[in-house]
Amino acid sequence: MSYFGPKIFIDLKRLSNNYQLLVKEIKDLSIMATVKANAYGHGAIEVSKTLEKEGVRYLAVFTIDEAIELRKAGIKSDIFIYSKMDPKRIDEAQKNNLTLNVSSFEDLKTLDNFSGRIKGHLKFDTGMTRLGVPFDKAEEFLKKAKKISSLEIEGLYSHFATADEGDLSYATNQLKKFNKVLDFANHLKIKAKFIHCSNSGAILNLPNSRFNMVRAGMLLYGAFPSDDVPQDLSIEPVMTFTAPVVEVRDVKKGTLISYGGAYETKKDTKIAVIQAGFADGVPRPWYINGYVLFKNQKMKITGRICMDQLMIDIKNSNIAYGDEVLIFGSNDNGTIDINEIAEKIDSTSYVIVTSVGIRPKRIHKK
Ligand SMILES: Cc1ncc(COP(=O)(O)O)c(C=O)c1O
């Protein structure tokens, strides 16, 4: 069956390369690869299989269901669950060899009532104010956790709120608190195998927060978490979004284009209709400054992006029905960095990749 419409190319070779670049950067430390939310829209099963081949030490998803999907697909690696512990699913987690997030005193109670034994990483809140034991309760928590025989304390961790920003004072303070937590643990002779608190931003901005494991996500997918991190790693975007031209029309100067007539042509020109819209994942606010690329030429998006289509000004170029333009990523037509889009629309690269809809055909390139 032929397919004509938006396409998402997932380049697994680039994923492997990005992974190996990270390995080179962090040397002998372990990597926990974040593959939650369908691997940030890249396909959790394909991404996990690729990273497993590359030798990843741990995978991390958000929900138990995401982890079970990976197990059913044959993924054998350790899998960590980021979400709040679900007391009703501890058995299931153990049966699937999953590692739990232990982030509150209630979690300890749940585990105390569990008759089996399960691996857990203890989470400390050092400033994110999301999940995690408050810093001032850390010592008490560690003491209690140590006594729970069903719990194997495999990891100790925390999460940064601002590690990808230019001003690192808040993150540095979080790191100080986490180091204090590690002191408490040492004192109590709790020897966890893995200590981790670095996401992509911290890996680059705060190398002394790497401990013996990093929790990488966005870097593996080939984008920097923000423009405020060193960008020396030559990572490449794993996801590339293309869409076909479905119509080319001549229009006169003064023609209004798309909903609201928000764009008016300045002179006689040619407009191409592209089959991809915000339902497919083209960020709608991008129409104000946005463009697509065709043979390295920028073609301005004209007027509001519709649900399924958008229009571009192709001027005199001879783009024709069926030609594919680049929406973002990198291919023969050039490169559009999702961080450039993110910056222009006051969003983030994370939002852009995870907003790709279900309609574009996903093509995994090995
Ligand atoms: C707890 C936790 N650790 C690590 C990551 C990975 O972050 P990044 O994609 O910035 O590397 C995430 C992602 O949101 C996360 O929630």
Side-chain angles (χ1 to χ4, degrees):
M1 200 174 62
S2 76
Y3 175 82
F4 190 76
K7 292 183 192 143
I8 299 292
F9 292 92
I10 304 295
D11 191 327
L12 296 171
K13 193 147 192 299
R14 286 189 190 163
L15 176 70
S16 294
N17 289 343
N18 295 341
Y19 179 85
Q20 292 304 337
L21 286 168
L22 182 59
V23 168
K24 222 168 136 195
E25 167 70 22
I26 64 166
K27 302 200 175 68
D28 50 353
L29 308 180
S30 297
I31 295 176
M32 178 184 278
T34 303
V35 297
K36 63 179 178 170
N38 198 27
Y40 295 25
H42 292 69
I45 293 171
E46 292 87 349
V47 164
S48 300
K49 283 186 173 169
T50 303
L51 294 175
E52 212 168 44
K53 274 195 204 122
E54 295 299 327
V56 75
R57 178 61 190 85
Y58 240 101
L59 297 168
V61 293
F62 193 71
T63 66
I64 290 190
D65 291 318
E66 287 178 310
I68 290 174
E69 193 195 343
L70 293 181
R71 288 285 181 249
K72 283 189 179 148
I75 297 294
K76 299 276 185 299
S77 303
D78 278 315
I79 304 180
F80 183 58
I81 309 291
Y82 282 146
S83 60
K84 176 87 185 163
M85 188 186 293
D86 182 344
K88 293 189 225 68
R89 301 187 76 181
I90 310 295
D91 252 332
E92 210 180 344
Q94 187 209 32
K95 276 188 198 119
N96 284 284
N97 184 27
L98 308 180
T99 306
L100 295 177
N101 177 27
V102 186
S103 66
S104 69
F105 287 92
E106 296 83 68
D107 291 350
L108 293 184
K109 264 191 222 149
T110 298
L111 291 172
D112 207 16
N113 291 326
F114 179 59
S115 54
R117 191 162 156 82
I118 192 159
K119 285 184 296 211
H121 291 204
L122 309 188
K123 183 167 201 180
F124 299 89
D125 177 28
T126 53
M128 177 72 183
T129 323
R130 197 169 60 179
L131 298 184
V133 175
F135 173 66
D136 59 358
K137 298 266 177 9
E139 195 171 11
E140 183 192 344
F141 186 71
L142 284 160
K143 277 184 191 156
K144 286 207 163 136
K146 198 184 166 187
K147 289 192 189 131
I148 310 257
S149 56
S150 58
L151 170 64
E152 178 191 339
I153 303 176
E154 192 200 37
L156 302 174
Y157 84 110
S158 189
H159 189 55
F160 287 114
T162 62
D164 61 356
E165 294 184 7
D167 177 354
L168 292 170
S169 49
Y170 192 80
T172 307
N173 192 259
Q174 279 195 260
L175 181 57
K176 230 188 251 168
K177 286 182 173 170
F178 187 58
N179 272 312
K180 195 97 187 88
V181 171
L182 298 181
D183 286 346
F184 294 144
N186 258 340
H187 229 85
L188 293 164
K189 300 201 167 35
I190 294 176
K191 296 224 179 315
K193 193 152 132 199
F194 299 115
I195 311 290
H196 48 100
C197 65
S198 284
N199 53 6
S200 292
I203 291 169
L204 300 171
N205 262 344
L206 287 165
N208 58 343
S209 72
R210 292 175 185 172
F211 298 97
N212 67 356
M213 175 177 260
V214 298
R215 292 193 310 273
M218 193 47 94
L219 276 182
L220 298 174
Y221 303 113
F224 290 100
S226 76
D227 286 339
D228 290 322
V229 295
Q231 310 213 340
D232 307 322
L233 285 186
S234 47
I235 52 171
E236 287 183 285
V238 175
M239 181 186 287
T240 294
F241 188 164
T242 72
V245 172
V246 293
E247 176 138 321
V248 174
R249 44 202 308 151
D250 293 310
V251 298
K252 295 278 176 216
K253 175 182 174 183
T255 303
L256 301 185
I257 299 176
S258 194
Y259 289 118
Y263 185 89
E264 183 177 343
T265 51
K266 313 269 176 313
K267 40 176 120 152
D268 294 359
T269 190
K270 285 202 285 184
I271 294 294
V273 181
I274 307 297
Q275 190 164 316
F278 62 76
D280 300 303
V282 187
R284 187 178 177 279
W286 178 227
Y287 82 90
I288 296 168
N289 294 295
Y291 63 91
V292 303
L293 277 180
F294 183 70
K295 295 187 178 161
N296 280 298
Q297 272 186 299
K298 281 188 183 182
M299 315 241 155
K300 184 172 170 40
I301 295 172
T302 50
R304 291 185 189 150
I305 291 163
C306 310
M307 190 182 293
D308 323 287
Q309 301 172 93
L310 60 90
M311 279 67 84
I312 56 172
D313 188 346
I314 64 169
K315 301 200 169 104
N316 288 322
S317 76
N318 55 355
I319 294 186
Y321 175 86
D323 282 338
E324 302 261 338
V325 301
L326 177 71
I327 307 286
F328 61 69
S330 184
N331 66 10
D332 291 348
N333 279 324
T335 299
I336 301 178
D337 184 348
I338 48 176
N339 272 313
E340 178 188 349
I341 301 177
E343 202 230 323
K344 288 272 164 42
I345 66 171
D346 194 20
S347 184
T348 71
S349 47
Y350 300 80
V351 176
I352 293 174
V353 287
T354 56
S355 300
V356 169
I358 52 169
R359 198 166 48 187
K361 186 180 172 79
R362 281 175 168 72
I363 300 159
H364 286 87
K365 297 199 290 178
K366 294 250 161 77

